[in-house]
Amino acid sequence: MQLTSKLPSVGTTIFTTMSALAAEKGAINLSQGFPDFKPDARLLEAASNALLNGSNQYSPMTGLLDLREAIAQLIHRHYQRTVDPLDDITVTSGASEAIFDAIAALVQVGDEVILFDPAYDLYEPAITLAGGVCRRAVLTAPDFHPDWQAVGELITDKTRMVLINTPHNPTGSCWRNEDLESLWQIIKDHNIMVLSDEVYEFIHFIESAVSVHKHEGLRQRSLVVSSFGKSFHLTGWKVGYVVAPKALSTELRKVHQYVTFCTTTPLQKALSDYLIQAPEACDALAAFYRDKRDLLRNGLKDSRFTLLPCEGTYFQLLDYSAISDEDDVTFCKRLIDEVGVAAIPISVFYQTPPVGQRLIRLCFAKEDITLKDATERLSHI
Ligand SMILES: Cc1ncc(COP(=O)(O)O)c(C=O)c1O
C-alpha cells in the first residue's frame, strides 16, 4: 500500500516535544499554554451536577440553548453587541474545532487566505487540507504590529479570507482600532471574509485593545472564535464557540454537524449554569493575569534576558541574544537540561523565521510559586 500524506511537513508539535522533555527532566513547564491552577469551584460543582443529574446525551447540534443565550449576554456585557443565540452562535469542541470548521466550510480549492507570520500552528494545516493557499504578512519584533500596506499588497482576486488573532499568540501583541479600520478599508470592496481568533479576548493589559465584535463593518462578514478553555482556566474541557452572521453560521454548521455534531453536553450545561450564576466571570481576568505577567517580568528584570512588550495573552517573549547565539530550538533544549525550565522556541510559529532572531515564549498561566521558582532559575543563566 502506498500512503501519500496530505500534510507531509507536519510532525509532532513542539508543544508535545517540550512538555515530554520537561516531564522527563523534571523541569518547570512554562512551554505549553495551560494553567497549573484550578478553575472556579462552582464550575466543577456544576459539571459534577450535570453528570449526575442526567445531562449525558446528545445536545442540540448548535449548542444548548441556555448556553447560547448566556454567551449572547456575555457578548453584550463586554462588547455591547446584540447577537441572536439561535442564528449567530454555534458551540464547538474548543476554538480549534471552530477554526477547522470555518476554514473547511468557507475556503474553496485555490482560494487564498491571508494570515500573519508568526501565527498559531493550527491555521496553516487547516487551510492546506481545504485546498486553500496561505499568503503570509510578516509581523516584525519588537511590537509585531501589521504593516497594512504590505497586507494590502497581498490581496488578489483569489483572496477569500483574512485570518486574524488578537491578542496574539505567540507574541502577546494586541491590535488597536486603527488596525481593525485598516483591515476594513483593505477588504471592504472585495468578496473577502474574516476569521477572527479571539481566544485571549479577556486577557489584555492595554485600554485600547479591540475586538471585531465592536467593529460595525467587519463584524458583518466575520466569524469570531472564543474559547472557554482560556477564559475559565479549563483548557482540557475543549469548549468554544463561534459568533457569525446567519449566512456564515449556516455554512459553518454544515461542517460542524458532521465533525462532532455536538459538544460534550454536561460541560455545556455546567458552563451555562455557571454563566447564569456569575455573569461577571470574565470581568477580572485581565487583572488576574496582569499580576502574573508583572510577577514574571519583575522576577526577570535583573536577568540577561531582554523582555519584549506583553500587551495581552498569557505569554511573555524573551530575547536571549545576550546569552547565546544558538538557534531557539537548541537553546530551549539546553534550558530544560541546564536550568530546569521549559519554554517554546518561537521559530516554530513562522513560515519564514527571521534570520538571527533569538526569541523564546514563556507561559505565565501558572501559580505564583511556580513563576517565582522559574524566574529564580532563569536569572542564573
Ligand atoms: C491562538 C489560539 N487559537 C486557538 C487555540 C485553541 O483553543 P482551544 O483549546 O479552545 O481549542 C489556542 C490554544 O492554545 C490558541 O492559542
Side-chain angles (χ1 to χ4, degrees):
M1 191 187 80
Q2 284 232 326
L3 192 62
T4 309
S5 174
K6 293 184 86 173
L7 296 171
S9 55
V10 172
T12 309
T13 72
I14 194 77
F15 309 102
T16 308
T17 309
M18 288 299 167
S19 285
L21 267 179
E24 187 192 317
K25 310 268 173 162
I28 301 173
N29 191 357
L30 303 191
S31 61
Q32 211 170 348
F34 59 83
D36 70 348
F37 41 83
K38 286 194 177 145
D40 191 328
R42 288 175 292 176
L43 263 166
L44 303 181
E45 204 182 315
S48 138
N49 285 340
L51 281 163
L52 294 173
N53 295 320
S55 298
N56 294 306
Q57 308 307 332
Y58 294 130
S59 46
M61 183 270 279
T62 51
L64 287 180
L65 185 55
D66 282 356
L67 179 58
R68 283 182 286 143
E69 280 170 351
I71 292 169
Q73 297 286 332
L74 188 71
I75 291 166
H76 195 265
R77 179 184 185 93
H78 289 273
Y79 306 111
Q80 300 76 51
R81 178 183 183 189
T82 303
V83 289
D84 180 350
L86 293 180
D87 289 337
D88 303 342
I89 299 174
T90 310
V91 178
T92 57
S93 299
S96 307
E97 196 227 341
I99 294 165
F100 245 91
D101 292 351
I103 292 170
L106 296 162
V107 174
Q108 312 265 354
V109 174
D111 282 353
E112 293 180 5
V113 180
I114 296 178
L115 61 160
F116 292 86
D117 205 21
Y120 184 59
D121 63 344
L122 160 75
Y123 307 152
E124 179 146 355
I127 294 163
T128 306
L129 286 174
V133 179
C134 297
R135 297 274 177 247
R136 297 247 189 172
V138 178
L139 302 173
T140 307
D143 67 6
F144 296 99
H145 278 280
D147 170 347
W148 286 108
Q149 190 174 334
V151 177
E153 284 163 10
L154 290 176
I155 303 279
T156 71
D157 56 3
K158 291 190 181 146
T159 311
R160 203 56 56 231
M161 179 184 275
V162 184
L163 205 171
I164 68 175
N165 169 219
T166 182
H168 185 252
N169 178 11
T171 68
S173 64
C174 288
W175 284 15
R176 317 295 200 264
N177 216 14
E178 305 87 86
D179 293 305
L180 291 185
E181 196 46 39
S182 302
L183 174 62
W184 175 238
Q185 291 307 324
I186 287 172
I187 68 164
K188 74 178 176 26
D189 298 325
H190 301 268
N191 187 21
I192 297 176
M193 64 201 121
V194 172
L195 177 53
S196 185
D197 179 348
E198 300 192 13
V199 298
Y200 301 101
E201 63 191 310
F202 301 120
I203 312 175
H204 56 76
F205 316 119
I206 53 166
E207 281 295 310
S208 48
V210 282
S211 163
V212 163
H213 283 306
K214 293 203 78 152
H215 192 284
E216 284 284 344
L218 282 173
R219 68 191 189 194
Q220 301 308 323
R221 49 164 104 168
S222 296
L223 305 109
V224 184
V225 175
S226 296
S227 169
F228 286 120
K230 309 293 178 185
S231 301
F232 292 156
H233 320 308
L234 300 161
T235 59
W237 282 25
K238 294 296 278 191
V239 185
Y241 54 94
V242 194
V243 179
K246 187 174 179 181
L248 291 173
S249 291
T250 302
E251 291 309 307
L252 173 121
R253 290 171 176 183
K254 290 180 187 172
V255 175
H256 167 70
Q257 73 177 334
Y258 293 123
V259 172
T260 55
F261 185 75
C262 67
T263 295
T264 318
T265 309
L267 301 183
Q268 289 194 60
K269 174 84 174 81
L271 285 161
S272 77
D273 288 353
Y274 179 67
L275 274 171
I276 291 163
Q277 239 188 92
E280 75 295 345
C282 300
D283 293 4
L285 197 63
F288 172 81
Y289 275 118
R290 180 188 287 113
D291 288 348
K292 294 204 175 288
R293 178 199 66 168
D294 293 348
L295 186 69
L296 181 79
R297 290 178 71 92
N298 285 331
L300 291 173
K301 71 177 184 320
D302 297 325
S303 74
R304 292 162 71 208
F305 291 101
T306 305
L307 297 154
L308 274 72
C310 171
E311 298 174 336
T313 73
Y314 45 53
F315 301 115
Q316 170 68 55
L317 292 188
L318 306 184
D319 185 319
Y320 63 89
S321 41
I323 301 172
S324 163
D325 54 14
E326 288 160 301
D327 67 78
D328 59 0
V329 177
T330 310
F331 183 73
C332 283
K333 287 187 174 155
R334 191 158 70 84
L335 264 193
I336 294 179
D337 277 340
E338 293 178 13
V339 181
V341 176
I344 291 291
I346 86 150
S347 58
V348 301
F349 294 92
Y350 281 89
Q351 184 187 56
T352 316
V355 179
Q357 182 168 279
R358 313 230 178 280
L359 296 178
I360 60 171
R361 190 197 77 177
L362 298 182
C363 170
F364 56 81
K366 305 292 167 189
E367 296 277 12
D368 291 359
I369 180 89
T370 317
L371 295 173
K372 281 185 193 145
D373 194 0
T375 53
E376 174 71 25
R377 294 182 189 200
L378 289 166
S379 297
H380 290 125
I381 187 173

